[in-house]
Amino acid sequence: VISAEQPPPEPEVLSPEDVKKLDEEGKLPTFTFADNGAPEVTIPENDPSDDLVVKVLEEGDGEVVAETDSITANYSGWTYSDGEKFDSSFDRGEPATFPLNQVITGWTKGLAGQKVGSKVLLVIPEPWAYPTAQAGQPSGTLVFFVEIVSKEAAQ
């Protein structure tokens, strides 16, 4: 009998209750911040969730972001497995702008519904990050710190 390997289940967005539980158990990455606001990450010892973790670190008071908006954000990203930083707008000294529906799924699902001004932790499972990572792209589960600076509605 030939057994076909089951594809991994599609990730889901973890409920706020489940995120809170992971947080209370010390199972989520944490950040410290340099004088310029640039985050440094501490990755916990446990394996990451198979689902998308969205934790609002600080809620903004701006408009709610829609999946079709373009956002301007300060962010840094690390690979969960080794805590290596692979990208950071802080290192470039300016925020980046992009349409939320043209980025990795974890960003689209994790940032839509957030408010401008919010600072958010995202732990993105590989299927919603770069499932077929090309050269120069990080693989596996990714950790992001994102500060939503502003948004612009789709034209």
Side-chain angles (χ1 to χ4, degrees), residues 13-14 16 19 52-67 69-73 100 106-122 146-151:
V13 179
L14 215 53
V19 171
L52 175 65
V53 172
V54 182
K55 180 188 172 197
V56 177
L57 305 169
E58 194 178 302
E59 187 172 51
D61 52 11
E63 291 180 74
V64 172
V65 174
E67 277 192 18
D69 291 339
S70 283
I71 65 164
T72 297
L100 249 198
W107 270 57
T108 309
K109 292 187 180 294
L111 298 177
Q114 302 296 341
K115 294 177 180 170
V116 171
S118 292
K119 296 176 180 177
V120 183
L121 158 70
L122 298 175
V146 184
E147 177 185 8
I148 304 169
V149 178
S150 62
K151 74 162 206 168

Side-chain angles (χ1 to χ4, degrees), residues 6 24 27 33 54 69 75 128 130 134-135 140 143 147-148:
Q6 290 298 312
E24 286 168 353
K27 293 182 176 176
F33 297 92
V54 182
D69 291 339
Y75 68 93
W128 282 0
Y130 298 99
Q134 307 297 316
V143 177
E147 177 185 8
I148 304 169

Side-chain angles (χ1 to χ4, degrees), residues 2 7 15 24 27 32 34 57 60 89-90 93 103 120 147 153:
I2 297 169
S15 73
E24 286 168 353
K27 293 182 176 176
T32 54
L57 305 169
S89 67
F90 292 95
V103 289
V120 183
E147 177 185 8

